[in-house]
Amino acid sequence: ACHGPTGKGNPGAGYPSIAGQHAAYTKNALIEYTNGNRQPGINDMMQTLASRMSLGEIEAVAEYIQALGSQ
C-alpha cells in the first residue's frame, strides 16, 4: 500500500517507485532490512515488515514487484 497499488510510489509520503525493480535487488534489500544491514526508512517500517516475512514470501514479493514494471 505504501508504494501504491501499481508500485509507482507515493511522492507526497516519500515512498519511492519500486515497479520493475529487479527481483534479486528487492530480495537482497528485504533481507538486509531483516538483518539490520540496511538503513531504516520512515518509522523503521521496512525493517518491521521484512522481519515478518519468510524467505519464500520475500522471493514472491520480489518477483511480483519486478513484474509490475511490465504493466
Side-chain angles (χ1 to χ4, degrees):
C2 297
H3 296 279
T6 60
K8 300 290 185 198
N10 183 344
Y15 299 115
S17 174
I18 58 171
Q21 184 61 262
H22 293 282
Y25 175 86
T26 300
K27 177 183 172 184
N28 288 335
L30 290 171
I31 290 170
E32 296 257 316
Y33 278 122
T34 299
N35 62 27
N37 290 333
R38 189 173 178 107
Q39 289 291 355
I42 298 170
N43 300 325
D44 299 334
M45 189 174 301
M46 288 305 302
Q47 286 180 322
T48 300
L49 293 172
S51 68
R52 295 178 182 168
M53 298 170 73
S54 69
L55 182 57
E57 290 169 331
I58 287 173
E59 291 171 344
V61 166
E63 292 292 332
Y64 177 77
I65 289 169
Q66 182 172 310
L68 287 174
S70 63
Q71 295 181 3

Short mmCIF file of all heavy atoms in Angstrom, two decimals:
data_model
loop_
_atom_site.label_atom_id
_atom_site.label_comp_id
_atom_site.label_asym_id
_atom_site.label_seq_id
_atom_site.Cartn_x
_atom_site.Cartn_y
_atom_site.Cartn_z
N ALA A 1 0.82 -1.19 0.00
CA ALA A 1 0.00 0.00 0.00
C ALA A 1 0.86 1.26 0.00
O ALA A 1 0.52 2.24 -0.63
CB ALA A 1 -0.94 -0.01 1.20
N CYS A 2 1.98 1.23 0.69
CA CYS A 2 2.82 2.43 0.81
C CYS A 2 3.37 2.86 -0.55
O CYS A 2 3.48 4.06 -0.82
CB CYS A 2 3.97 2.18 1.76
SG CYS A 2 3.45 1.83 3.45
N HIS A 3 3.74 1.92 -1.38
CA HIS A 3 4.33 2.23 -2.68
C HIS A 3 3.28 2.31 -3.78
O HIS A 3 3.62 2.44 -4.95
CB HIS A 3 5.39 1.18 -3.04
CG HIS A 3 6.55 1.17 -2.11
ND1 HIS A 3 7.58 2.07 -2.20
CD2 HIS A 3 6.83 0.39 -1.03
CE1 HIS A 3 8.47 1.84 -1.24
NE2 HIS A 3 8.03 0.83 -0.51
N GLY A 4 2.01 2.25 -3.41
CA GLY A 4 0.92 2.36 -4.36
C GLY A 4 0.54 1.01 -4.94
O GLY A 4 1.36 0.10 -4.99
N PRO A 5 -0.70 0.89 -5.41
CA PRO A 5 -1.17 -0.40 -5.94
C PRO A 5 -0.43 -0.88 -7.18
O PRO A 5 -0.41 -2.07 -7.47
CB PRO A 5 -2.65 -0.13 -6.24
CG PRO A 5 -2.77 1.35 -6.33
CD PRO A 5 -1.70 1.93 -5.45
N THR A 6 0.20 0.03 -7.90
CA THR A 6 0.95 -0.37 -9.09
C THR A 6 2.45 -0.24 -8.88
O THR A 6 3.23 -0.39 -9.82
CB THR A 6 0.54 0.49 -10.31
OG1 THR A 6 0.82 1.87 -10.02
CG2 THR A 6 -0.93 0.31 -10.65
N GLY A 7 2.86 0.07 -7.64
CA GLY A 7 4.27 0.18 -7.33
C GLY A 7 4.92 1.46 -7.82
O GLY A 7 6.14 1.59 -7.80
N LYS A 8 4.12 2.44 -8.23
CA LYS A 8 4.66 3.68 -8.79
C LYS A 8 5.07 4.68 -7.71
O LYS A 8 5.55 5.76 -8.01
CB LYS A 8 3.63 4.34 -9.72
CG LYS A 8 3.23 3.48 -10.89
CD LYS A 8 4.35 3.31 -11.89
CE LYS A 8 3.85 2.53 -13.09
NZ LYS A 8 4.89 1.97 -13.89
N GLY A 9 4.86 4.33 -6.45
CA GLY A 9 5.30 5.18 -5.36
C GLY A 9 4.24 6.15 -4.88
O GLY A 9 3.15 6.22 -5.43
N ASN A 10 4.60 6.87 -3.84
CA ASN A 10 3.74 7.88 -3.25
C ASN A 10 4.64 9.05 -2.87
O ASN A 10 5.12 9.13 -1.75
CB ASN A 10 3.01 7.31 -2.04
CG ASN A 10 2.04 8.28 -1.41
OD1 ASN A 10 2.08 9.48 -1.68
ND2 ASN A 10 1.17 7.77 -0.57
N PRO A 11 4.91 9.96 -3.82
CA PRO A 11 5.86 11.03 -3.57
C PRO A 11 5.48 11.93 -2.40
O PRO A 11 6.36 12.38 -1.66
CB PRO A 11 5.87 11.83 -4.87
CG PRO A 11 5.09 11.07 -5.86
CD PRO A 11 4.34 10.00 -5.15
N GLY A 12 4.19 12.17 -2.20
CA GLY A 12 3.76 13.02 -1.10
C GLY A 12 4.15 12.46 0.26
O GLY A 12 4.48 13.21 1.18
N ALA A 13 4.16 11.15 0.37
CA ALA A 13 4.52 10.50 1.63
C ALA A 13 6.00 10.11 1.66
O ALA A 13 6.50 9.65 2.67
CB ALA A 13 3.66 9.25 1.84
N GLY A 14 6.69 10.27 0.53
CA GLY A 14 8.11 9.95 0.49
C GLY A 14 8.43 8.51 0.16
O GLY A 14 9.55 8.05 0.34
N TYR A 15 7.44 7.76 -0.36
CA TYR A 15 7.67 6.37 -0.72
C TYR A 15 8.01 6.29 -2.22
O TYR A 15 7.23 6.72 -3.05
CB TYR A 15 6.46 5.50 -0.41
CG TYR A 15 6.09 5.50 1.05
CD1 TYR A 15 4.90 6.05 1.50
CD2 TYR A 15 6.97 4.97 1.99
CE1 TYR A 15 4.58 6.05 2.84
CE2 TYR A 15 6.65 4.98 3.35
CZ TYR A 15 5.46 5.52 3.76
OH TYR A 15 5.15 5.53 5.08
N PRO A 16 9.16 5.72 -2.57
CA PRO A 16 9.60 5.72 -3.97
C PRO A 16 8.88 4.69 -4.83
O PRO A 16 8.26 3.76 -4.32
CB PRO A 16 11.09 5.36 -3.86
CG PRO A 16 11.16 4.51 -2.63
CD PRO A 16 10.14 5.10 -1.68
N SER A 17 9.02 4.87 -6.12
CA SER A 17 8.52 3.88 -7.08
C SER A 17 9.40 2.63 -6.98
O SER A 17 10.63 2.73 -6.89
CB SER A 17 8.59 4.44 -8.50
OG SER A 17 8.25 3.45 -9.43
N ILE A 18 8.77 1.47 -6.97
CA ILE A 18 9.51 0.21 -6.95
C ILE A 18 9.12 -0.70 -8.11
O ILE A 18 9.72 -1.75 -8.29
CB ILE A 18 9.32 -0.54 -5.61
CG1 ILE A 18 7.85 -0.81 -5.34
CG2 ILE A 18 9.96 0.24 -4.46
CD1 ILE A 18 7.58 -1.72 -4.16
N ALA A 19 8.14 -0.29 -8.89
CA ALA A 19 7.67 -1.10 -10.02
C ALA A 19 8.81 -1.40 -10.97
O ALA A 19 9.54 -0.51 -11.38
CB ALA A 19 6.55 -0.38 -10.76
N GLY A 20 8.99 -2.67 -11.28
CA GLY A 20 10.02 -3.09 -12.22
C GLY A 20 11.40 -3.29 -11.63
O GLY A 20 12.32 -3.67 -12.34
N GLN A 21 11.53 -3.04 -10.33
CA GLN A 21 12.84 -3.24 -9.70
C GLN A 21 13.25 -4.70 -9.86
O GLN A 21 12.42 -5.60 -9.72
CB GLN A 21 12.77 -2.86 -8.21
CG GLN A 21 14.06 -2.92 -7.47
CD GLN A 21 15.11 -1.98 -8.03
OE1 GLN A 21 15.96 -2.41 -8.80
NE2 GLN A 21 15.03 -0.72 -7.66
N HIS A 22 14.50 -4.96 -10.16
CA HIS A 22 14.98 -6.33 -10.34
C HIS A 22 14.70 -7.16 -9.09
O HIS A 22 14.94 -6.70 -7.97
CB HIS A 22 16.47 -6.35 -10.64
CG HIS A 22 16.80 -5.75 -11.96
ND1 HIS A 22 16.61 -6.42 -13.15
CD2 HIS A 22 17.29 -4.53 -12.29
CE1 HIS A 22 16.96 -5.65 -14.15
NE2 HIS A 22 17.38 -4.49 -13.66
N ALA A 23 14.22 -8.36 -9.30
CA ALA A 23 13.84 -9.24 -8.19
C ALA A 23 15.02 -9.52 -7.26
O ALA A 23 14.86 -9.52 -6.04
CB ALA A 23 13.26 -10.55 -8.72
N ALA A 24 16.19 -9.74 -7.81
CA ALA A 24 17.36 -10.03 -6.97
C ALA A 24 17.69 -8.85 -6.06
O ALA A 24 18.02 -9.02 -4.89
CB ALA A 24 18.56 -10.38 -7.83
N TYR A 25 17.58 -7.63 -6.58
CA TYR A 25 17.84 -6.43 -5.78
C TYR A 25 16.83 -6.33 -4.64
O TYR A 25 17.19 -6.08 -3.49
CB TYR A 25 17.78 -5.18 -6.66
CG TYR A 25 17.92 -3.91 -5.85
CD1 TYR A 25 19.17 -3.40 -5.54
CD2 TYR A 25 16.79 -3.24 -5.39
CE1 TYR A 25 19.30 -2.25 -4.79
CE2 TYR A 25 16.92 -2.09 -4.64
CZ TYR A 25 18.17 -1.60 -4.34
OH TYR A 25 18.29 -0.46 -3.57
N THR A 26 15.54 -6.50 -4.97
CA THR A 26 14.49 -6.39 -3.96
C THR A 26 14.66 -7.47 -2.89
O THR A 26 14.55 -7.18 -1.69
CB THR A 26 13.10 -6.50 -4.60
OG1 THR A 26 12.95 -5.44 -5.56
CG2 THR A 26 11.99 -6.40 -3.57
N LYS A 27 14.95 -8.67 -3.31
CA LYS A 27 15.16 -9.76 -2.35
C LYS A 27 16.31 -9.42 -1.41
O LYS A 27 16.17 -9.53 -0.18
CB LYS A 27 15.46 -11.07 -3.09
CG LYS A 27 15.76 -12.23 -2.17
CD LYS A 27 16.12 -13.48 -2.97
CE LYS A 27 16.61 -14.57 -2.05
NZ LYS A 27 17.04 -15.77 -2.80
N ASN A 28 17.42 -8.99 -1.96
CA ASN A 28 18.57 -8.64 -1.13
C ASN A 28 18.25 -7.47 -0.20
O ASN A 28 18.65 -7.48 0.97
CB ASN A 28 19.79 -8.31 -1.99
CG ASN A 28 20.37 -9.53 -2.64
OD1 ASN A 28 20.22 -10.65 -2.17
ND2 ASN A 28 21.05 -9.33 -3.76
N ALA A 29 17.53 -6.47 -0.71
CA ALA A 29 17.17 -5.32 0.12
C ALA A 29 16.30 -5.75 1.30
O ALA A 29 16.53 -5.33 2.45
CB ALA A 29 16.45 -4.27 -0.71
N LEU A 30 15.31 -6.60 1.04
CA LEU A 30 14.42 -7.05 2.12
C LEU A 30 15.20 -7.88 3.16
O LEU A 30 14.98 -7.74 4.36
CB LEU A 30 13.25 -7.85 1.55
CG LEU A 30 12.24 -7.01 0.77
CD1 LEU A 30 11.24 -7.91 0.05
CD2 LEU A 30 11.52 -6.03 1.68
N ILE A 31 16.10 -8.72 2.69
CA ILE A 31 16.92 -9.50 3.62
C ILE A 31 17.81 -8.57 4.44
O ILE A 31 17.97 -8.76 5.65
CB ILE A 31 17.73 -10.56 2.86
CG1 ILE A 31 16.78 -11.65 2.33
CG2 ILE A 31 18.81 -11.17 3.75
CD1 ILE A 31 17.42 -12.62 1.36
N GLU A 32 18.36 -7.55 3.80
CA GLU A 32 19.23 -6.60 4.52
C GLU A 32 18.43 -5.81 5.55
O GLU A 32 18.94 -5.48 6.62
CB GLU A 32 19.92 -5.66 3.53
CG GLU A 32 20.86 -6.40 2.60
CD GLU A 32 22.31 -6.22 2.97
OE1 GLU A 32 22.70 -5.10 3.28
OE2 GLU A 32 23.02 -7.23 2.97
N TYR A 33 17.17 -5.47 5.25
CA TYR A 33 16.32 -4.82 6.25
C TYR A 33 16.12 -5.75 7.44
O TYR A 33 16.17 -5.34 8.59
CB TYR A 33 14.95 -4.45 5.67
CG TYR A 33 14.92 -3.17 4.89
CD1 TYR A 33 14.50 -3.15 3.57
CD2 TYR A 33 15.28 -1.96 5.47
CE1 TYR A 33 14.45 -1.98 2.84
CE2 TYR A 33 15.23 -0.77 4.75
CZ TYR A 33 14.82 -0.79 3.44
OH TYR A 33 14.76 0.37 2.72
N THR A 34 15.90 -7.03 7.15
CA THR A 34 15.66 -8.01 8.20
C THR A 34 16.85 -8.17 9.13
O THR A 34 16.69 -8.23 10.35
CB THR A 34 15.31 -9.38 7.57
OG1 THR A 34 14.13 -9.23 6.79
CG2 THR A 34 15.08 -10.43 8.62
N ASN A 35 18.05 -8.23 8.56
CA ASN A 35 19.22 -8.46 9.42
C ASN A 35 19.87 -7.17 9.93
O ASN A 35 20.91 -7.22 10.58
CB ASN A 35 20.25 -9.36 8.71
CG ASN A 35 20.81 -8.76 7.45
OD1 ASN A 35 20.87 -7.56 7.28
ND2 ASN A 35 21.22 -9.62 6.52
N GLY A 36 19.25 -6.02 9.62
CA GLY A 36 19.73 -4.76 10.16
C GLY A 36 20.90 -4.14 9.42
O GLY A 36 21.48 -3.16 9.88
N ASN A 37 21.25 -4.69 8.25
CA ASN A 37 22.37 -4.16 7.48
C ASN A 37 21.98 -3.05 6.51
O ASN A 37 22.81 -2.52 5.81
CB ASN A 37 23.07 -5.27 6.70
CG ASN A 37 23.82 -6.20 7.62
OD1 ASN A 37 24.26 -5.81 8.69
ND2 ASN A 37 23.96 -7.44 7.21
N ARG A 38 20.71 -2.72 6.46
CA ARG A 38 20.23 -1.64 5.57
C ARG A 38 19.58 -0.58 6.44
O ARG A 38 18.82 -0.88 7.36
CB ARG A 38 19.23 -2.19 4.56
CG ARG A 38 18.87 -1.21 3.48
CD ARG A 38 18.01 -1.91 2.43
NE ARG A 38 17.60 -0.99 1.40
CZ ARG A 38 18.10 -0.97 0.17
NH1 ARG A 38 19.02 -1.84 -0.18
NH2 ARG A 38 17.66 -0.11 -0.70
N GLN A 39 19.87 0.67 6.13
CA GLN A 39 19.35 1.78 6.93
C GLN A 39 17.82 1.76 6.92
O GLN A 39 17.21 1.57 5.87
CB GLN A 39 19.84 3.12 6.37
CG GLN A 39 21.29 3.37 6.60
CD GLN A 39 21.62 3.59 8.08
OE1 GLN A 39 20.77 3.64 8.94
NE2 GLN A 39 22.90 3.71 8.36
N PRO A 40 17.23 1.99 8.07
CA PRO A 40 15.77 2.00 8.14
C PRO A 40 15.20 3.21 7.40
O PRO A 40 15.84 4.25 7.31
CB PRO A 40 15.47 2.08 9.63
CG PRO A 40 16.69 2.69 10.22
CD PRO A 40 17.83 2.24 9.37
N GLY A 41 14.01 3.04 6.90
CA GLY A 41 13.32 4.14 6.25
C GLY A 41 12.43 4.85 7.25
O GLY A 41 12.71 4.86 8.46
N ILE A 42 11.36 5.38 6.76
CA ILE A 42 10.42 6.12 7.60
C ILE A 42 9.85 5.18 8.67
O ILE A 42 9.30 4.13 8.37
CB ILE A 42 9.29 6.69 6.72
CG1 ILE A 42 9.87 7.67 5.71
CG2 ILE A 42 8.23 7.37 7.58
CD1 ILE A 42 8.90 8.11 4.64
N ASN A 43 10.04 5.56 9.92
CA ASN A 43 9.49 4.81 11.07
C ASN A 43 9.94 3.35 11.12
O ASN A 43 9.24 2.51 11.68
CB ASN A 43 7.96 4.86 11.07
CG ASN A 43 7.43 6.26 11.18
OD1 ASN A 43 8.03 7.10 11.85
ND2 ASN A 43 6.33 6.53 10.52
N ASP A 44 11.07 3.01 10.54
CA ASP A 44 11.57 1.63 10.52
C ASP A 44 10.57 0.67 9.89
O ASP A 44 10.60 -0.53 10.15
CB ASP A 44 11.93 1.14 11.93
CG ASP A 44 13.02 1.95 12.58
OD1 ASP A 44 13.85 2.55 11.85
OD2 ASP A 44 13.07 1.98 13.81
N MET A 45 9.68 1.19 9.07
CA MET A 45 8.60 0.37 8.52
C MET A 45 9.11 -0.82 7.73
O MET A 45 8.61 -1.94 7.88
CB MET A 45 7.68 1.22 7.65
CG MET A 45 6.43 0.50 7.22
SD MET A 45 5.27 1.54 6.35
CE MET A 45 4.94 2.81 7.56
N MET A 46 10.11 -0.61 6.87
CA MET A 46 10.59 -1.72 6.05
C MET A 46 11.25 -2.80 6.91
O MET A 46 11.08 -3.99 6.63
CB MET A 46 11.56 -1.22 4.97
CG MET A 46 10.88 -0.44 3.86
SD MET A 46 9.51 -1.32 3.05
CE MET A 46 10.34 -2.78 2.46
N GLN A 47 11.98 -2.42 7.92
CA GLN A 47 12.57 -3.42 8.80
C GLN A 47 11.49 -4.22 9.51
O GLN A 47 11.59 -5.43 9.63
CB GLN A 47 13.51 -2.77 9.81
CG GLN A 47 14.80 -2.32 9.17
CD GLN A 47 15.73 -1.67 10.17
OE1 GLN A 47 15.30 -0.94 11.05
NE2 GLN A 47 17.02 -1.93 10.01
N THR A 48 10.46 -3.54 9.97
CA THR A 48 9.38 -4.22 10.68
C THR A 48 8.65 -5.19 9.76
O THR A 48 8.42 -6.35 10.12
CB THR A 48 8.39 -3.19 11.24
OG1 THR A 48 9.08 -2.33 12.15
CG2 THR A 48 7.23 -3.85 11.95
N LEU A 49 8.32 -4.73 8.55
CA LEU A 49 7.59 -5.60 7.63
C LEU A 49 8.45 -6.75 7.13
O LEU A 49 7.99 -7.90 7.10
CB LEU A 49 7.08 -4.78 6.44
CG LEU A 49 6.00 -3.75 6.77
CD1 LEU A 49 5.73 -2.88 5.56
CD2 LEU A 49 4.75 -4.43 7.25
N ALA A 50 9.68 -6.47 6.74
CA ALA A 50 10.55 -7.52 6.19
C ALA A 50 10.84 -8.60 7.23
O ALA A 50 10.92 -9.78 6.89
CB ALA A 50 11.84 -6.91 5.67
N SER A 51 10.98 -8.20 8.48
CA SER A 51 11.30 -9.18 9.51
C SER A 51 10.17 -10.17 9.78
O SER A 51 10.39 -11.23 10.35
CB SER A 51 11.70 -8.48 10.82
OG SER A 51 10.59 -7.82 11.39
N ARG A 52 8.98 -9.85 9.32
CA ARG A 52 7.82 -10.73 9.50
C ARG A 52 7.64 -11.68 8.32
O ARG A 52 6.77 -12.54 8.34
CB ARG A 52 6.55 -9.90 9.66
CG ARG A 52 6.54 -9.07 10.90
CD ARG A 52 5.29 -8.24 10.98
NE ARG A 52 5.31 -7.39 12.17
CZ ARG A 52 4.48 -6.40 12.39
NH1 ARG A 52 3.54 -6.14 11.51
NH2 ARG A 52 4.58 -5.69 13.48
N MET A 53 8.46 -11.51 7.28
CA MET A 53 8.30 -12.31 6.06
C MET A 53 9.23 -13.51 6.05
O MET A 53 10.37 -13.42 6.47
CB MET A 53 8.59 -11.43 4.84
CG MET A 53 7.66 -10.25 4.68
SD MET A 53 8.20 -9.09 3.40
CE MET A 53 7.84 -10.03 1.93
N SER A 54 8.72 -14.62 5.52
CA SER A 54 9.56 -15.80 5.30
C SER A 54 10.39 -15.56 4.04
O SER A 54 10.08 -14.66 3.24
CB SER A 54 8.69 -17.04 5.12
OG SER A 54 8.00 -16.97 3.89
N LEU A 55 11.40 -16.37 3.83
CA LEU A 55 12.20 -16.25 2.62
C LEU A 55 11.34 -16.47 1.38
O LEU A 55 11.48 -15.76 0.38
CB LEU A 55 13.38 -17.23 2.63
CG LEU A 55 14.31 -17.16 1.43
CD1 LEU A 55 14.90 -15.75 1.24
CD2 LEU A 55 15.43 -18.18 1.57
N GLY A 56 10.42 -17.39 1.44
CA GLY A 56 9.52 -17.64 0.32
C GLY A 56 8.65 -16.43 0.01
O GLY A 56 8.41 -16.10 -1.16
N GLU A 57 8.16 -15.77 1.04
CA GLU A 57 7.36 -14.57 0.85
C GLU A 57 8.20 -13.44 0.26
O GLU A 57 7.74 -12.71 -0.62
CB GLU A 57 6.73 -14.13 2.18
CG GLU A 57 5.64 -15.07 2.66
CD GLU A 57 5.20 -14.81 4.08
OE1 GLU A 57 6.01 -14.32 4.91
OE2 GLU A 57 4.02 -15.09 4.37
N ILE A 58 9.43 -13.30 0.74
CA ILE A 58 10.33 -12.28 0.20
C ILE A 58 10.57 -12.52 -1.28
O ILE A 58 10.49 -11.60 -2.09
CB ILE A 58 11.65 -12.26 0.99
CG1 ILE A 58 11.43 -11.62 2.37
CG2 ILE A 58 12.75 -11.52 0.22
CD1 ILE A 58 12.63 -11.69 3.30
N GLU A 59 10.82 -13.76 -1.66
CA GLU A 59 11.06 -14.09 -3.06
C GLU A 59 9.82 -13.83 -3.91
O GLU A 59 9.93 -13.29 -5.02
CB GLU A 59 11.51 -15.54 -3.19
CG GLU A 59 12.90 -15.77 -2.62
CD GLU A 59 13.31 -17.22 -2.53
OE1 GLU A 59 12.43 -18.12 -2.61
OE2 GLU A 59 14.52 -17.47 -2.37
N ALA A 60 8.64 -14.17 -3.39
CA ALA A 60 7.40 -13.94 -4.14
C ALA A 60 7.14 -12.45 -4.34
O ALA A 60 6.78 -12.01 -5.44
CB ALA A 60 6.23 -14.60 -3.43
N VAL A 61 7.33 -11.67 -3.31
CA VAL A 61 7.13 -10.22 -3.41
C VAL A 61 8.13 -9.61 -4.39
O VAL A 61 7.79 -8.75 -5.20
CB VAL A 61 7.23 -9.56 -2.01
CG1 VAL A 61 7.38 -8.05 -2.11
CG2 VAL A 61 6.02 -9.92 -1.17
N ALA A 62 9.36 -10.07 -4.34
CA ALA A 62 10.40 -9.56 -5.24
C ALA A 62 10.03 -9.83 -6.70
O ALA A 62 10.18 -8.95 -7.56
CB ALA A 62 11.75 -10.17 -4.89
N GLU A 63 9.54 -11.02 -6.98
CA GLU A 63 9.13 -11.36 -8.35
C GLU A 63 7.91 -10.53 -8.78
O GLU A 63 7.84 -10.07 -9.92
CB GLU A 63 8.81 -12.85 -8.46
CG GLU A 63 10.01 -13.76 -8.32
CD GLU A 63 10.99 -13.65 -9.47
OE1 GLU A 63 10.58 -13.31 -10.61
OE2 GLU A 63 12.19 -13.90 -9.24
N TYR A 64 7.00 -10.33 -7.85
CA TYR A 64 5.80 -9.53 -8.15
C TYR A 64 6.18 -8.09 -8.48
O TYR A 64 5.69 -7.51 -9.45
CB TYR A 64 4.84 -9.58 -6.96
CG TYR A 64 3.61 -8.73 -7.14
CD1 TYR A 64 2.57 -9.15 -7.94
CD2 TYR A 64 3.50 -7.50 -6.49
CE1 TYR A 64 1.43 -8.37 -8.12
CE2 TYR A 64 2.36 -6.71 -6.67
CZ TYR A 64 1.34 -7.15 -7.47
OH TYR A 64 0.23 -6.38 -7.65
N ILE A 65 7.05 -7.51 -7.68
CA ILE A 65 7.50 -6.13 -7.91
C ILE A 65 8.17 -6.00 -9.27
O ILE A 65 7.94 -5.04 -10.00
CB ILE A 65 8.41 -5.66 -6.76
CG1 ILE A 65 7.57 -5.46 -5.49
CG2 ILE A 65 9.17 -4.39 -7.13
CD1 ILE A 65 8.39 -5.26 -4.23
N GLN A 66 9.00 -6.97 -9.61
CA GLN A 66 9.65 -6.94 -10.92
C GLN A 66 8.62 -6.98 -12.04
O GLN A 66 8.72 -6.25 -13.03
CB GLN A 66 10.63 -8.10 -11.06
CG GLN A 66 11.37 -8.08 -12.39
CD GLN A 66 12.48 -9.11 -12.45
OE1 GLN A 66 13.29 -9.18 -11.55
NE2 GLN A 66 12.50 -9.90 -13.49
N ALA A 67 7.60 -7.81 -11.88
CA ALA A 67 6.56 -7.95 -12.91
C ALA A 67 5.73 -6.68 -13.05
O ALA A 67 5.18 -6.42 -14.13
CB ALA A 67 5.66 -9.13 -12.58
N LEU A 68 5.63 -5.86 -12.01
CA LEU A 68 4.87 -4.62 -12.11
C LEU A 68 5.45 -3.67 -13.17
O LEU A 68 4.73 -2.85 -13.72
CB LEU A 68 4.86 -3.88 -10.76
CG LEU A 68 3.98 -4.48 -9.67
CD1 LEU A 68 4.19 -3.72 -8.35
CD2 LEU A 68 2.51 -4.46 -10.06
N GLY A 69 6.72 -3.82 -13.47
CA GLY A 69 7.35 -2.97 -14.46
C GLY A 69 6.93 -3.26 -15.88
O GLY A 69 7.10 -2.43 -16.77
N SER A 70 6.33 -4.42 -16.10
CA SER A 70 5.91 -4.77 -17.46
C SER A 70 4.48 -4.41 -17.73
O SER A 70 3.94 -4.73 -18.78
CB SER A 70 6.13 -6.27 -17.68
OG SER A 70 5.32 -7.03 -16.81
N GLN A 71 3.86 -3.73 -16.80
CA GLN A 71 2.44 -3.35 -16.97
C GLN A 71 2.30 -1.98 -17.54
O GLN A 71 3.07 -1.12 -17.41
CB GLN A 71 1.71 -3.41 -15.63
CG GLN A 71 1.65 -4.80 -15.09
CD GLN A 71 0.91 -4.87 -13.77
OE1 GLN A 71 0.39 -3.90 -13.27
NE2 GLN A 71 0.85 -6.06 -13.21
#
